[in-house]
Amino acid sequence: MPRPNAGTKGVPRIAREAQILDIASEHFGTHGFAATSLAAIADAAGISKPLIYNYFGSKDGLYQACLERSGTLVAAEIERIADGDAVGVERGLQTLGGMFSLLEDRRHLWRLFFDTTAPSSGPIAESAAMHADRIGRVAAEGVGELMGLAGNDDPLDASAMTSVWLGIVDSLVSWWVDHPDQSAEQMTQRCRRLATALFSAP
């Protein structure tokens, strides 16, 4: 059903673009790139499809804009925590907690990064890779710090552990997205219990 007044005259362009991106992100993140139509997004936003073309150029352009905004949000949250005082495992747990809080009411954003129906080359793929690199650099820094605390300065060990950590983050956030009954706080506490079980095991 169209959202009332989403596309009425008098709405500043920046506000209207934000409305479109909110709705498009939800559609893309819920149904996937291939199964989402601009007509459905326009209808939900209460605007005409040509307006989407006017603002974003194409379906690819709209998806890329959604990805850019989501990637910036996620990367900025991870960098914010990295700039804090937490180190080692605590930094990792705080990173997960920050992700859950950020995505609490918009979990569909996470799926934008892993949509296998989205173009695998061109601007969309380049945007996804750029944000993955940005997040990966912060992850590598945190893992390097953790390995240093353990007295390990082997770069290949650090590289392997960074891959493991990124896989853990993806697995935990994806599990949470698939369990909408679980709140961000519940998931944060679950991660702490899992970490305790892991590191206290004989």
Side-chain angles (χ1 to χ4, degrees):
M1 177 179 294
R3 303 193 181 190
N5 300 321
T8 55
K9 293 182 179 180
V11 177
R13 174 164 179 158
I14 189 169
R16 186 175 289 157
E17 284 186 352
Q19 291 170 343
I20 295 171
L21 288 174
D22 285 342
I23 294 167
S25 294
E26 185 173 352
H27 277 249
F28 284 132
T30 302
H31 306 294
F33 178 86
T36 297
S37 70
L38 292 186
I41 293 171
D43 183 62
I47 59 173
S48 65
K49 190 164 68 171
L51 186 63
I52 296 179
Y53 284 109
N54 182 39
Y55 283 4
F56 302 100
S58 63
K59 179 179 176 179
D60 283 21
L62 177 59
Y63 189 89
Q64 183 183 359
C66 292
L67 193 62
E68 287 283 349
R69 188 174 67 161
S70 301
T72 298
L73 283 171
V74 170
E77 176 62 16
I78 292 174
E79 290 169 349
R80 180 190 69 78
I81 295 169
D83 288 338
D85 297 328
V87 297
V89 175
E90 179 59 27
R91 172 172 164 177
L93 290 170
Q94 286 191 20
T95 297
L96 284 166
M99 293 287 290
F100 298 136
S101 295
L102 175 69
L103 298 171
E104 176 82 84
D105 299 319
R106 43 192 172 184
R107 304 184 193 197
H108 51 271
L109 297 184
W110 188 251
R111 296 190 187 277
L112 294 176
F113 301 104
F114 307 100
D115 186 351
T116 58
T117 71
S120 58
S121 61
I124 288 177
E126 292 168 4
S127 179
M130 179 189 71
H131 290 294
D133 288 345
R134 181 178 174 184
I135 293 170
R137 285 195 298 271
V138 180
E141 176 191 322
V143 167
E145 183 181 73
L146 175 66
M147 300 293 281
L149 291 172
N152 186 331
D153 60 359
D154 187 302
L156 288 179
D157 283 359
S159 176
M161 183 61 79
T162 299
S163 182
V164 169
W165 168 243
L166 290 171
I168 288 173
V169 172
D170 178 31
S171 294
L172 288 171
V173 177
S174 294
W175 184 92
W176 177 61
V177 169
D178 289 335
H179 292 76
D181 59 310
Q182 297 296 298
S183 69
E185 179 58 27
Q186 286 175 315
M187 196 62 192
T188 298
Q189 295 308 315
R190 175 167 290 105
C191 288
R192 288 192 173 277
R193 293 195 300 272
L194 294 176
T196 297
L198 178 64
F199 292 108
S200 64

